[in-house]
Amino acid sequence: MTQPDAQQQPMQDMTGAKALWATLAAHGVSTVFGYPGGAIMPVYDALTFYPEVRHVLTRHEQGAVHAAEGWAKATGEIGVCIATSGPGATNLVTGLADAMMDNVPLLAITGNVARHLMGTDAFQEADITGITLPITKHNYVVTDPDELPMIVAEAIRIARSGRPGPVLVDIPKDVQLAAFGGELVRPQAHPETPAPRPEVIRAARELLLGAKKPVLMVGGGAQGAAREITEFARAWQLPTITTLMGLGAFPASDPLWLGMPGMHGSVAANHAISQADVLIGFGLRFDDRVTGRVKDFAPQAQVIHVDLDAAEIGKIVRTHLPVRSDAAHAARALTEDAVPFDLPEWRAQLAEWRTRGEHPTTWGAAQAVRQVVARLRPDDILTTDVGQHQMLAAQLARFEKPRRWLTSGGLGTMGFGFPAGLGAAMAEPGVRSIVIAGDGGFQMTAQELATLTKYDIRNVKICIINNSYLGMVRQWQELFHEKRYSEVYLGDSNPDFLKLADAYNIKGWRAENSGDLESAIDAWLSHDGSGLLEVVVPNEHGVFPMVPAGAALYEMIETEPLKTAPHKAPDLGEKMNVVAEEQEARQ
């Protein structure tokens, strides 16, 4: 079918809906993920005039918003999703909260009932701007069609600037239909990012020069500054830790890398933080999964915190030297006149810690994840859901580049992994997008198998680690609730995942023991097209090291306890109260 040429559309025929697509196209938006409905129909009708913008019809709005997140996380560019009013809009809420927590630049466009019906409880009406106010950087209701291009341009600028995040634009149906008499808006230049003050850099340098046990921590906010961070760390010979969201911002093959910190962090990373005398952090917010018991986090360290967002500095961890700056600017400034550390005793201690916390080599989830991530190519994108498989992948995968690791870190959203991997695969069709999910999380957005088929997406490889449980919840019930496994068993009602894949014309493989695994992985990865691999593993495996809730990082359980008797965490109740008191004190 011949599509109308948008550039030939006379302005007198322009509507609010057409102005929306013209503005998106002018801003370089090439792909949007969405699901139509009554209150957004004029926008979908106008889409037919703009073939330069590809629309991806997902099977659920949650799939659309996570796919847009995956696109944005892989590229660093804005992700766009679209939904109708009422339930369509509210189905975006989890993804918007997820994007807010993980600083994902996202534009969500929703339809709404006509202006004269707003506030009347009309069919499929929801106050989506009120609902999403706390989980977006900003949101808008467009009441004048002539203002629509300006609002969309501003929304894109806000989503991408400073600390990125989601912005929602809600457009009543009559505004979409109304004649447009305004002017289209050209893209705005990226705003300048703040650079550190020279006196602050001098002070940071003085602190580093005096350090005997220095540590560098890198968070997700430094993903865009990976080159500068790496040069800074190597210039000073700084032992370097990357958080869950910072994985890939420093190459894992570098001998300076100590792994991930926090609840399931490495022994080396957690002990290094606990013993450090100077800790410099870039682009991280020191959340509770990273710090453990806050008052005992880096207890001996002078903390230098570099972050774009002044509100994050000193919010959780006491900061001796705040540096409000873009990570790249600060890293470049600190690399000048670097003096490499020569600290043999500190290096020897770090080397000893690196030898601890090995994973079991017996058949189980750790072995399965290890063998899958061992096949990763440097450009492959690895996406996970949330739970035990996520932590195992974070511990075992080795990333050499930024934006190759996509996971839900802040909100911990089950169902994120598969659609996010799908979105990343569409952003980079030339690379493999490998998804590792659990049997529980995969079923939350499994309907997007239809999207794979509809668009013949051929570079998504899905691996389901099937332990028949909500594994991480089960692990906590085992350790801290005397094995009272309450409502976590899924094995009696899980589908046959291979038959499920086959129903969508997706080829599948299954491995149920270590002897089958290697050949199954080979077949799965070498298949010319997307595919699904189910790995059936024993029910009761754990993920270690582990820092119990309320404990300090140095109190981590390094290896899985013997299963001869229920494990009872000492003083758990008291420690959990300490966490609650600390959280309350911060509010």
Side-chain angles (χ1 to χ4, degrees), residues 194 254 425:
D254 194 298

Side-chain angles (χ1 to χ4, degrees), residues 6 25 28-29 31 66 104 107-108 181 226 228-229 244 258 280 306 324 356 390 410 415 430 462 466 479 507 556:
V29 173
T31 301
H66 290 324
V104 182
L107 174 63
E228 291 84 357
I229 291 286
L244 178 70
L258 300 180
I280 181 166
V306 182
R324 182 171 180 264
R356 289 156 52 177
Q390 176 195 33
I462 306 160
N466 182 2
L479 291 173
K507 193 167 175 55
M556 80 191 93

Side-chain angles (χ1 to χ4, degrees), residues 166-190:
V167 178
L168 182 140
V169 177
D170 191 39
I171 313 173
K173 189 171 183 176
D174 59 325
V175 172
Q176 301 167 38
L177 290 166
F180 175 74
E183 294 184 0
L184 298 178
V185 177
R186 293 183 178 278
Q188 301 176 20
H190 276 290

Side-chain angles (χ1 to χ4, degrees), residues 363-381:
W363 173 241
Q367 183 187 123
V369 172
R370 182 188 293 110
Q371 288 193 231
V372 169
V373 301
R375 310 294 185 89
L376 288 176
R377 302 167 181 160
D379 286 333
D380 283 347
I381 295 168

Side-chain angles (χ1 to χ4, degrees), residues 68-69 71-79 95-107 134-138 154-168 190-191 193-194 219-225 245 283-285 307-310 312 324-327 403:
E69 283 190 278
W71 177 287
K73 285 190 173 191
T75 64
E77 299 299 326
I78 194 160
L96 292 171
D98 192 274
M100 189 70 176
M101 293 285 275
D102 285 352
N103 306 326
V104 182
L106 193 77
L107 174 63
I135 55 169
T136 53
K137 282 186 77 176
H138 198 59
E154 187 172 89
I156 291 173
R157 181 184 62 78
I158 291 172
R160 298 171 66 184
S161 62
R163 183 176 171 180
V167 178
L168 182 140
H190 276 290
T193 51
Q223 285 281 345
M245 303 308 293
L284 71 165
R285 55 189 177 86
D307 204 285
L308 265 177
D309 188 350
E312 288 297 335
R324 182 171 180 264
S325 171
D326 171 74
R403 304 194 184 284

Side-chain angles (χ1 to χ4, degrees), residues 383-385 389 417-418 435-442 462-466:
T383 305
T384 70
D385 226 85
H389 69 276
F418 173 38
V435 179
I436 300 181
D439 50 311
F442 181 73
I462 306 160
C463 173
I464 299 174
I465 305 295
N466 182 2

Side-chain angles (χ1 to χ4, degrees), residues 148-330:
L148 208 155
M150 181 273 292
I151 288 174
V152 172
E154 187 172 89
I156 291 173
R157 181 184 62 78
I158 291 172
R160 298 171 66 184
S161 62
R163 183 176 171 180
V167 178
L168 182 140
V169 177
D170 191 39
I171 313 173
K173 189 171 183 176
D174 59 325
V175 172
Q176 301 167 38
L177 290 166
F180 175 74
E183 294 184 0
L184 298 178
V185 177
R186 293 183 178 278
Q188 301 176 20
H190 276 290
E192 292 290 327
T193 51
R197 300 198 312 274
E199 63 271 26
V200 174
I201 291 299
R202 283 195 295 273
R205 189 171 182 277
E206 288 302 314
L207 275 178
L208 285 172
L209 286 172
K212 300 301 181 189
K213 297 179 179 178
V215 166
L216 166 64
M217 289 184 69
V218 184
Q223 285 281 345
R227 180 171 57 84
E228 291 84 357
I229 291 286
T230 302
E231 290 173 357
F232 164 63
R234 288 174 174 167
W236 285 86
Q237 287 295 291
L238 272 166
T240 301
I241 294 163
T242 43
T243 68
L244 178 70
M245 303 308 293
L247 291 173
F250 185 80
S253 61
D254 194 298
L256 291 169
W257 188 63
L258 300 180
M260 179 179 73
M263 179 168 282
H264 291 288
S266 71
V267 174
N270 284 344
H271 278 312
I273 291 168
S274 300
Q275 294 292 317
D277 60 357
V278 172
L279 186 152
I280 181 166
F282 281 79
L284 71 165
R285 55 189 177 86
F286 295 109
D287 72 276
D288 60 304
R289 286 295 195 266
V290 164
T291 63
R293 189 165 63 237
V294 174
K295 73 181 184 66
D296 290 320
F297 176 81
Q300 304 169 48
Q302 299 280 304
V303 176
I304 306 167
H305 190 179
V306 182
D307 204 285
L308 265 177
D309 188 350
E312 288 297 335
I313 298 176
K315 186 177 81 175
I316 306 293
V317 170
R318 73 198 186 292
T319 299
H320 301 85
L321 183 60
V323 184
R324 182 171 180 264
S325 171
D326 171 74
H329 285 316

Side-chain angles (χ1 to χ4, degrees), residues 80 159 587:
V80 182
Q587 292 172 353

